[in-house]
Amino acid sequence: MKKPPQDLSKLLHQSGKLPDLAEKAELLLYLDQHVKQIIAGPVAEQLKVANFRQGVLVIETTSAAWAARINFQKPKLLAQLQAETLPILTAIEVKVNPRLAMYDAKPKLGHKELSPAAAEHIAALAENIGGSLGEKLKRLASLASRNK
């Protein structure tokens, strides 16, 4: 017999690896935001806090040029992070990850439009289907005329 699904909040508060992973993910997200506040400007858009292990903060960036700019600001960043957030921080390591450029920090929401031909097909289908589904299809078809 299969076990019933467990609530995710219960899994996160139990002992084991999952709560540790969730805690580390929250820490990395916080550190990423904090580092981006300290290093303002276009450099902040080109970096991501990748890991924190054994007192070393690993920052990834998209190119060697951005890595050089981050390395230039590393002493200031290290001192400020030690004073404000992480007293156990001993070093900052900057790595180049060109694939980081493929991931957009803020996904763009694409607003798709319904073509008139598709609206006609949906309206015809709505006429043959009754009930709440038919009403929903009629509303969907009406969106095409509103987008013009």
Side-chain angles (χ1 to χ4, degrees):
M1 183 180 271
K2 291 185 176 181
K3 292 182 183 180
Q6 293 183 10
D7 185 20
L8 187 58
S9 62
K10 286 181 183 177
L11 289 173
L12 290 175
H13 297 297
Q14 292 177 349
S15 61
K17 290 184 180 182
L18 192 56
D20 295 339
L21 284 173
E23 185 178 327
K24 185 161 185 179
E26 288 176 10
L27 173 68
L28 292 177
L29 183 62
Y30 171 75
L31 289 173
D32 187 61
Q33 293 168 350
H34 195 67
V35 166
K36 287 180 180 181
Q37 286 175 352
I38 295 171
I39 300 179
V43 179
E45 297 171 10
Q46 302 296 324
L47 66 85
K48 178 184 175 209
V49 172
N51 203 356
F52 178 67
R53 61 176 185 267
Q54 300 172 353
V56 178
L57 185 68
V58 179
I59 296 176
E60 289 184 342
T61 188
T62 56
S63 70
W66 291 116
R69 289 185 71 172
I70 295 168
N71 280 325
F72 181 72
Q73 296 180 350
K74 202 175 357 179
K76 173 192 157 204
L77 180 63
L78 180 63
Q80 198 164 348
L81 284 173
Q82 285 173 332
E84 295 175 1
T85 310
L86 284 172
I88 61 171
L89 184 64
T90 58
I92 296 175
E93 184 179 331
V94 180
K95 292 187 174 186
V96 176
N97 182 0
R99 290 186 178 182
L100 194 62
M102 293 186 335
Y103 303 112
D104 195 359
K106 296 177 184 172
K108 297 174 184 167
L109 298 175
H111 297 286
K112 304 208 182 220
E113 293 184 16
L114 191 61
S115 70
E120 287 179 31
H121 290 294
I122 292 172
L125 180 63
E127 294 298 323
N128 295 325
I129 296 178
S132 66
L133 179 59
E135 292 298 317
K136 290 176 184 176
L137 288 172
K138 287 177 187 176
R139 283 188 301 204
L140 179 64
S142 72
L143 289 176
S145 63
R146 204 175 353 165
N147 288 338
K148 287 182 179 179

